[in-house]
Amino acid sequence: MSDFLTQFAPALPEIFVLVMVSLILLIDAALGDSKRYVAYVLSLATIAGAAFLTARDFSTMPVLALGGLFIDDPLSDVLKLFLYLTVAVVLVYSRDYLRQRGLYKGEFFVLALFALLGMMVMVSASHFLTLYLGLELLSLSLYAMVALQRDSSIATEAAMKYFVLGALASGMLLYGMSMVYGVTGSLALADMAQILSDGTDLRIPLVFGIVFIVSGLAFKLGAVPFHMWVPDVYHGAPTAMTLFIGSAPKIAAFAFVFRILGQGLESQVAEWRDMLVILAVLSMAVGNIAAIAQTNLKRMLAYSTISHMGFMLLGILAGSQNGYGSAMFYVLVYALMSLGGFGMILLLSRAGFEADKLDDFKGLNRRSPWLAFLMLLLMFSMAGIPPTVGFYAKLAVLQAVVEIGYVWLAVAAVLFSLIGAFYYLRIVKLMYFDTPHDTTPIAPCVDSRVIMSANGLAVLALGILPQPLMAVCMYAIGASF
């Protein structure tokens, strides 16, 4: 019995979330439409309970469980705590938006928690099977969330595109995993890393497998040239779902990439680094240039996401502890900025009105100076302007790239950032120098306003004092590297 408990103890947060999701599903079905707030409260309680369990059993050393399928290490625990925070903020931001559009249903909260469970499995996976299981649980939940607004043809079309391209990406990823398994004879990341570091004669199948794995990962990240789903899904999905897709899954995607490339295929860095260089440059170029032409803020932020994933890949391709730590710092900062950017659209939206066009932000300073200031901080951070944290995040990944001798790549990244600054600063110009088209009072609920204030100010505070978060990232990577 004690051995059984020892094997399952590291996975206790995941087991707790699974049990609670099942209970919420039953309770919501029993209560009906009149008491939807119960599912909302129970969802937040589930996230708080999972956070308590993760923090209580915080691991200082890697611990394998479930026959080597699952790992509990500082990296997984830190990322889970940030996932909990991100998903909880998404639920708070989304509540009024969902209620006004008839989407305040138990299905949304259940799907959000199932997606969270998938992300938790992804960040703790030490085996190809668990990695893929977590990825598919997350992906299927996201497909359903995008299609939740069934009477919207745009949302349905976005869900179909997302599903078809996601299935294609999963197929490529599986094919690559099968080829690497054929070369190594193991699906466990640690065993695979050991076998490949000892050397193999099957170089051609291995390289083919790595190509397919990197292509599948690029699809999931939304990196160019596998980015075609990102703007359509971000634009077509209800904004609450866009907020979810654009924040927490990026943290899980970083863990997914690090587990496979940084741990399982670490010795093959020379094989996958050049591929990531191409993906990073194309993502920064296409993302920043295409965003300039957008008049819809959700599409603009979608292309912005593509460029930010290019920046995150700069840290990964460095292939060093400093590079991985910088990439982790970058993705956590990006999730924070994305929460604020899409959250602001939710706060400004109301029944029958989506504040997702650039013109909707005209004269925001006259309508709500505080929200305009918070949006200014978020846009400055996305552009990488000091003293916001976006500047430090970009600087960290650029330093990692320069350390491995890719100075030209760092210069290219800076040039693309300058291009990107235009469309971010355009938002600031609209808010402070244009006349508002809409003078309707902005009255978000108190909890959303408080959390948005904390969200915006955190971007400034972490920019002034980034060292604690960077130290946490470096510690987590160092303990797992």
Side-chain angles (χ1 to χ4, degrees), residues 81-384:
L81 290 172
F82 276 96
L83 285 172
Y84 303 145
L85 176 64
T86 304
V87 174
V89 171
V90 169
L91 296 184
V92 174
Y93 281 162
S94 304
R95 185 181 56 177
D96 281 355
Y97 179 92
L98 295 170
R99 186 183 288 119
Q100 291 162 1
R101 285 154 185 80
L103 297 173
Y104 192 63
K105 302 174 181 177
E107 291 94 322
F108 173 79
F109 301 109
V110 168
L111 288 170
L113 291 178
F114 268 126
L116 173 61
L117 179 60
M119 291 184 277
M120 292 166 69
V121 172
M122 284 170 69
V123 301
S124 283
S126 62
H127 197 278
F128 270 163
L129 288 179
T130 10
L131 278 167
Y132 189 72
L133 179 67
L135 177 65
E136 285 307 294
L137 181 55
L138 168 64
S139 299
L140 292 171
S141 301
L142 295 183
Y143 303 152
M145 286 178 77
V146 174
L148 200 57
Q149 194 173 8
R150 287 172 294 193
D151 57 348
S152 169
S153 59
I154 300 175
T156 306
E157 180 186 347
M160 286 301 297
K161 288 179 179 176
Y162 196 12
F163 174 73
V164 172
L165 291 173
L168 176 63
S170 296
M172 296 177 72
L173 193 62
L174 271 180
Y175 188 65
M177 288 177 172
S178 67
M179 296 190 79
V180 173
Y181 170 68
V183 171
T184 61
S186 176
L187 291 171
L189 295 178
D191 296 342
M192 187 190 311
Q194 184 61 49
I195 292 166
L196 292 177
S197 64
D198 293 340
T200 177
D201 296 330
L202 302 171
R203 298 299 304 168
I204 294 178
L206 177 61
V207 172
F208 265 97
I210 293 173
V211 168
F212 278 101
I213 285 175
V214 171
S215 299
L217 294 175
F219 257 112
K220 297 301 180 182
L221 288 172
V224 177
F226 307 103
H227 68 292
M228 60 288 291
W229 63 271
V230 179
D232 289 339
V233 171
Y234 277 42
H235 183 201
T239 307
M241 288 57 169
T242 305
L243 171 63
F244 192 99
I245 296 168
S247 53
K250 305 305 179 189
I251 299 175
F254 161 77
F256 197 76
V257 173
F258 173 72
R259 294 292 188 198
I260 293 180
L261 299 184
Q263 291 185 326
L265 300 173
E266 177 194 354
S267 60
Q268 307 303 307
V269 63
E271 306 291 351
W272 51 258
R273 175 178 284 160
D274 291 342
M275 288 185 267
L276 294 194
V277 168
I278 295 169
L279 291 173
V281 172
L282 288 176
S283 297
M284 290 185 290
V286 173
N288 283 314
I289 294 170
I292 294 173
Q294 306 306 314
T295 57
N296 183 283
L297 186 58
K298 284 162 70 175
R299 289 189 78 87
M300 190 200 86
L301 290 176
Y303 282 107
S304 162
T305 297
I306 295 167
S307 70
H308 282 294
M309 290 303 100
F311 258 96
M312 192 267 285
L313 287 174
L314 294 180
I316 297 288
L317 67 86
S320 62
Q321 182 179 340
N322 187 36
Y324 294 129
S326 300
M328 179 177 169
F329 180 85
Y330 195 96
V331 81
L332 295 178
V333 166
Y334 170 74
L336 181 68
M337 298 186 298
S338 183
L339 280 175
F342 289 111
M344 191 65 72
I345 299 175
L346 288 176
L347 261 62
L348 298 185
S349 299
R350 58 183 185 275
F353 173 71
E354 299 281 340
D356 61 352
K357 295 181 176 60
L358 297 187
D359 288 349
D360 296 331
F361 281 76
K362 284 185 175 180
L364 180 60
N365 183 51
R366 300 186 191 181
R367 299 172 63 200
S368 176
W370 179 242
L371 291 181
F373 173 68
L374 295 176
M375 191 64 171
L376 176 144
L377 290 177
L378 293 163
M379 293 299 103
F380 273 21
S381 186
M382 286 189 176

Side-chain angles (χ1 to χ4, degrees), residues 244 340 385 398 433:
F244 192 99
I385 298 173
L398 291 176
F433 297 103

